[in-house]
Amino acid sequence: MVKSYYAKTAMLWLCEQTPKDDWTVVSQSVIKLLDFLEEAIDTGNLPCYFWSQLNLLRFTSQGDRELMKKALLDIRQNLSILLARELCVYQPGLQKMLTQTTTQLTERQVRVCLARWNILFGVIGNLEFYLAMDTSPEGERLLSVLVHSKQFTASTVSRLLRTFSHQYILHKYLFKAMTVAPEDVTLQIHFTPFGHGFAWDAAPLIELLNGCDMRCLLGDPDAVRAWLRRQQQLPEAERPAGLPADLRSLGDLCDLLFNIPLLSQALRGSVLDKWSGHAVNSERAMEWLTHYQFKTFEDIMKTCLNEASCWKDKAIDFQTKVGMDYQTALRTACRFGVEVRRFCDDPETAREDERRRRRLPDPWGLLLFWLGRPL
């Protein structure tokens, strides 16, 4: 494998050697980087950008360099796929948007597709995270483990977490949508101070959504509208909080899509299949939390031993960061590996680890999960 630091170093040297006007096409720029790296690996010489007397490849063997060349060849052969994946084109929803027409898309059309995809991903991800904390039995079991105080219940903790967690997903993807949207759209978005942050009107972004997008979000928009009208006929005290009048205006649509508790209630009351699909996805997403295993002492020791076996990498650190000469760095790194192995093999290390864990405050009764065995 080629270390990322090698690629970063090569990029810094290339930036010095290449006129800025030559950095136009992403794929061609990546090929320049691959060419530079391949030449450096062939010669076994890649000077550190910040200390040119230091050769980053000095400690690599011929076998190591052959593996690097194979990795570079693999990148060359799959460059288009890798670049597309990095740009998120591999996402099925976005891929469908970008291939709906056989004609080449203009820059504005591509930007609209990217913005729409981020909006959809943000709303759906936000909803499913909300459902994971609100309806998933896996989530409830997880929270019940954490709750040992009579002042808090699982649902209370769920609401506390929801307040500052699930909205983060929506805000993140709306901001991404704004950064890729066409300029004429972003110019309509105005920021105003709000407390310690700011508020902004996302209606210009929502206007980019089409009928297909609305069906993706709501399943049956007409059924959702009918549900909203029924709620409007209820006494005011019984209406859901933040209820919009209809979905025909951008403001009403924002009020529904960005009010995740209301959106969840609307889908559950009007398009149950759609809501159930999101609920299933959210439950699957929460399963990993209930099966999470805290690292045992043995796992930590394995990590330490793996680090000790890579003592040559430490030699580079000692040489570049501490300023040791080559021979001193090698001796110090070798000694480091020996000392780590001795530390891991010492029975007192395990006893001290357990003593320290037991001294930690444990108001939630989670120590047995950390230790990986009953107390």
Side-chain angles (χ1 to χ4, degrees):
M1 296 297 291
V2 181
K3 293 185 177 181
S4 63
Y5 189 72
Y6 296 163
K8 295 170 187 174
T9 300
M11 192 67 192
L12 289 171
W13 286 119
L14 272 176
C15 287
E16 275 198 2
Q17 301 170 10
T18 308
K20 64 179 182 179
D21 293 337
D22 289 353
W23 299 100
T24 54
V25 181
V26 174
S27 57
Q28 293 178 3
S29 300
V30 174
I31 290 174
K32 289 179 185 177
L33 179 63
L34 296 176
D35 290 340
F36 188 98
L37 278 171
E38 190 167 335
E39 182 179 352
I41 292 170
D42 281 335
T43 60
N45 181 41
L46 179 60
C48 175
Y49 184 77
F50 303 101
W51 185 6
S52 57
Q53 290 80 13
L54 175 65
N55 177 16
L56 298 180
L57 300 178
R58 183 171 184 175
F59 298 121
T60 59
S61 65
Q62 183 62 35
D64 293 334
R65 292 195 289 274
E66 288 298 325
L67 290 176
M68 292 182 201
K69 290 176 67 174
K70 288 181 180 179
L72 293 179
L73 178 61
D74 181 66
I75 294 173
R76 284 183 187 275
Q77 293 175 340
N78 299 282
L79 185 58
S80 298
I81 296 174
L82 294 172
L83 288 176
R85 183 177 300 167
E86 184 63 25
L87 294 170
C88 297
V89 177
Y90 72 99
Q91 293 286 350
L94 182 56
Q95 180 70 40
K96 184 178 179 180
M97 288 182 185
L98 294 172
T99 56
Q100 284 179 338
T101 176
T102 56
T103 59
Q104 184 174 356
L105 298 178
T106 64
E107 179 182 342
R108 189 183 192 284
Q109 289 173 322
V110 172
R111 286 183 173 275
V112 168
C113 287
L114 291 171
R116 287 168 50 208
W117 183 82
N118 276 289
I119 295 168
L120 295 179
F121 200 91
V123 173
I124 293 173
N126 196 12
L127 173 62
E128 292 183 353
F129 188 92
Y130 169 84
L131 291 175
M133 302 305 296
D134 191 53
T135 62
S136 169
E138 297 290 347
E140 287 299 319
R141 283 197 290 270
L142 172 69
L143 290 172
S144 66
V145 173
L146 299 176
V147 177
H148 287 267
S149 169
K150 294 181 180 179
Q151 284 76 30
F152 295 97
T153 64
S155 59
T156 303
V157 175
S158 175
R159 288 197 300 272
L160 290 172
L161 293 174
R162 185 190 315 149
T163 302
F164 59 85
S165 295
H166 80 282
Q167 286 286 354
Y168 170 77
I169 298 173
L170 178 62
H171 293 164
K172 179 176 70 173
Y173 281 96
L174 282 178
F175 190 77
K176 283 185 175 182
M178 185 187 68
T179 60
V180 298
E183 185 178 4
D184 60 291
V185 175
T186 57
L187 288 175
Q188 300 177 51
I189 300 174
H190 301 287
F191 293 83
T192 55
F194 184 79
H196 296 290
F198 56 84
W200 54 293
D201 181 12
L205 291 176
I206 297 301
E207 193 173 10
L208 297 175
L209 300 180
N210 58 28
C212 181
D213 298 332
M214 295 307 302
R215 288 189 293 275
C216 176
L217 290 172
L218 303 178
D220 186 349
D222 290 335
V224 175
R225 289 191 185 96
W227 182 87
L228 291 174
R229 287 193 292 270
R230 290 196 299 272
Q231 304 310 303
Q232 290 287 355
Q233 296 171 4
L234 296 174
E236 186 173 353
E238 299 178 17
R239 296 174 192 170
L243 186 69
D246 201 342
L247 297 182
R248 302 191 185 280
S249 72
L250 289 176
D252 286 346
L253 194 54
C254 289
D255 289 343
L256 176 64
L257 296 180
F258 300 161
N259 185 342
I260 296 302
L262 177 62
L263 177 60
S264 174
Q265 189 176 352
L267 291 179
R268 191 171 189 175
S270 59
V271 194
L272 185 58
D273 289 346
K274 191 71 174 177
W275 182 89
S276 299
H278 290 311
V280 169
N281 290 338
S282 66
E283 185 172 341
R284 289 173 181 168
M286 286 294 291
E287 286 181 357
W288 71 272
L289 287 172
T290 58
H291 296 95
Y292 179 80
Q293 296 292 326
F294 287 95
K295 281 191 175 182
T296 63
F297 173 76
E298 290 75 16
D299 291 333
I300 296 173
M301 290 301 101
K302 286 180 182 178
T303 302
C304 291
L305 289 172
N306 288 336
E307 186 175 354
S309 66
C310 301
W311 61 272
K312 286 186 178 180
D313 292 339
K314 286 294 179 184
I316 297 177
D317 287 341
F318 295 151
Q319 193 175 7
T320 58
K321 298 177 182 179
V322 185
M324 293 181 178
D325 60 71
Y326 171 60
Q327 293 298 333
T328 303
L330 275 180
R331 288 195 299 271
T332 305
C334 182
R335 186 64 186 174
F336 166 81
V338 171
E339 290 298 329
V340 170
R341 291 187 184 89
R342 182 179 298 171
F343 173 79
C344 294
D345 293 338
D346 187 352
E348 182 59 26
T349 301
R351 290 192 288 269
E352 178 63 19
D353 176 79
E354 183 144 342
R355 282 197 295 270
R356 288 179 179 273
R357 294 190 188 213
R358 288 179 180 276
R359 283 203 301 268
L360 290 172
D362 188 30
W364 299 99
L366 298 177
L367 187 58
L368 65 94
F369 297 100
W370 193 2
L371 292 174
R373 60 181 181 278
L375 294 175

